[in-house]
C-alpha cells in the first residue's frame, strides 16, 4: 500500500542552524508532493508543493524542497532556522491512483532554541 | 467566509455519548475532506465529499462514524457511542475541485476528548 514516511519525529536545533527534514513515499507512479506546517495552536498551512517541472521547489519563509524521483524523496530544507520556525511539519502526497486524497506522513516536531 | 470554519473547537464528552462535529468550507469549494489526528500521530484520512456525495468512505474507522454534507456547503461528522480511542483532533479541509492541482485549505480542527 502507498505510504509516506517521515523518519525524524523530533528535531531540536539552535537558531541559524541548517534544517533538513526527510520525507519518503512508497509508490511507483505519478505523485504530487506537499509540505504543510502547523505552528503551535494554529491550523495546517501549506509551505510548498510540487506538481511538475523543476524538482527544486521554493516555498514561503525561506523553505525549499527537492523532489528526487529515483529516491522517492521530497526532503524539506532551510539554510538557517529561526526560533519562529518551531512547529510541526507534515509531508503529504497525492498518489495518482487515489483521487485527490492527501496521504500524510507522521509529522516532525521541530524545536528551535533561541 | 475567508477560511474553513470548524465547530466546536473543543469538545469533551463521556464515553458512550454521540457527538457531532461541524465544518463550514470556503464558499464555492466543492470538495470537502475530513481527517483525524491522534496525539503524536500523523493525519489519518476519514472521508471526502465531492459536492454532496461521498465517493470514498474507506477511511471511516468503524460504523459508529458517519458524515453528511448538504447543499454543497456544511458537513457534519457524527460519532456514535464514542470510545476513548476516538479522542483526537478532527480536521476538515476544502478545495475548489477534486483535481490534483487544487490546494487544500484546512480548518483549525475540533479537539475531541472522550472521558
Amino acid at each position: 500500500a502507498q505510504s509516506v514516511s517521515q523518519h525524524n519525529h523530533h528535531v531540536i536545533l539552535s537558531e541559524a542552524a541548517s534544517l533538513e527534514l526527510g520525507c519518503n513515499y512508497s509508490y511507483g507512479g505519478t505523485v504530487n508532493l506537499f509540505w504543510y506546517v502547523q505552528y503551535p495552536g494554529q491550523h495546517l498551512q501549506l509551505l510548498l508543493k510540487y506538481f511538475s517541472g523543476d524538482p527544486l521547489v521554493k516555498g514561503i519563509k525561506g523553505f525549499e524542497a527537492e523532489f528526487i524521483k529515483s529516491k522517492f524523496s521530497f526532503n524539506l530544507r532551510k539554510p538557517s532556522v529561526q526560533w519562529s520556525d518551531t512547529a510541526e511539519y507534515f509531508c503529504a502526497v497525492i498518489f495518482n491512483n487515489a483521487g485527490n486524497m492527501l496521504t500524510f506522513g507522521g509529522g516532525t516536531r521541530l524545536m528551535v532554541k533561541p | 467566509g475567508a477560511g474553513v470554519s470548524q465547530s466546536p473547537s473543543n469538545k469533551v464528552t463521556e464515553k458512550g455519548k454521540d457527538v457531532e462535529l461541524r465544518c463550514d468550507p470556503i464558499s464555492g469549494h466543492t470538495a470537502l475532506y475530513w481527517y483525524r489526528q491522534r496525539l503524536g500521530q500523523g493525519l489519518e484520512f476519514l472521508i471526502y465529499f465531492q459536492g454532496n456525495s461521498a465517493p470514498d468512505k474507506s477511511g471511516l474507522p468503524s460504523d459508529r462514524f458517519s458524515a453528511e454534507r448538504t447543499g454543497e456547503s456544511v458537513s457534519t461528522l457524527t460519532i456514535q457511542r464514542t470510545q476513548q480511542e476516538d479522542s483526537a483532533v478532527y480536521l476538515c479541509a476544502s478545495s475548489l475541485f477534486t483535481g490534483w492541482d487544487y490546494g487544500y485549505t484546512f480548518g483549525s480542527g475540533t479537539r475531541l476528548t472522550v472521558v
Side-chain angles (χ1 to χ4, degrees), chain B residues 34-83:
Chain B
W34 283 99
Y35 285 83
R36 176 170 74 174
Q37 184 178 18
R38 288 171 162 165
L39 188 64
Q41 299 184 24
L43 279 77
E44 175 189 3
F45 169 77
L46 297 178
I47 187 171
Y48 94 89
F49 289 90
Q50 172 56 41
N52 294 338
S53 67
D56 189 348
K57 302 179 182 179
S58 63
L60 293 177
S62 76
D63 59 7
R64 296 186 294 104
F65 286 70
S66 63
E68 64 176 23
R69 187 180 185 195
T70 55
E72 290 200 354
S73 58
V74 173
S75 175
T76 304
L77 177 69
T78 301
I79 309 173
Q80 297 177 306
R81 306 181 302 281
T82 52
Q83 304 294 313

Side-chain angles (χ1 to χ4, degrees), chain A residues 32 43 90 96 100-102, chain B residues 33 35 37 45 98-100 104:
Chain A
N32 287 359
H43 61 274
F90 292 93
N96 77 339
N100 200 38
M101 187 185 84
L102 273 172
Chain B
Y33 308 81
Y35 285 83
Q37 184 178 18
F45 169 77
T98 53
W100 305 5
Y104 289 29

Side-chain angles (χ1 to χ4, degrees), chain A residues 88-100:
Chain A
E88 187 157 20
Y89 293 80
F90 292 93
C91 179
V93 180
I94 291 179
F95 302 106
N96 77 339
N97 66 346
N100 200 38

Side-chain angles (χ1 to χ4, degrees), chain A residues 43-44, chain B residues 1-6 23-29 32 92-95 104-109:
Chain A
H43 61 274
L44 276 165
Chain B
V4 177
S5 176
Q6 291 187 248
C23 173
D24 281 276
I26 291 174
S27 178
H29 279 195
L32 185 147
C92 175
S94 70
S95 67
Y104 289 29
T105 301
F106 280 87
S108 298

Side-chain angles (χ1 to χ4, degrees), chain A residues 34-84:
Chain A
F34 305 80
W35 275 97
Y36 283 85
V37 61
Q38 188 171 27
Y39 297 104
Q42 297 187 28
H43 61 274
L44 276 165
Q45 301 172 44
L46 182 66
L47 265 182
L48 48 80
K49 60 187 177 185
Y50 171 81
F51 290 146
S52 63
D54 188 344
L56 183 61
V57 179
K58 296 198 183 295
I60 60 172
K61 305 186 180 185
F63 286 91
E64 65 179 31
E66 184 174 14
F67 173 44
I68 303 179
K69 190 174 182 179
S70 61
K71 296 185 177 180
F72 304 96
S73 70
F74 190 56
N75 292 355
L76 181 71
R77 299 194 293 249
K78 185 170 183 178
S80 176
V81 294
Q82 301 172 314
W83 175 77
S84 58

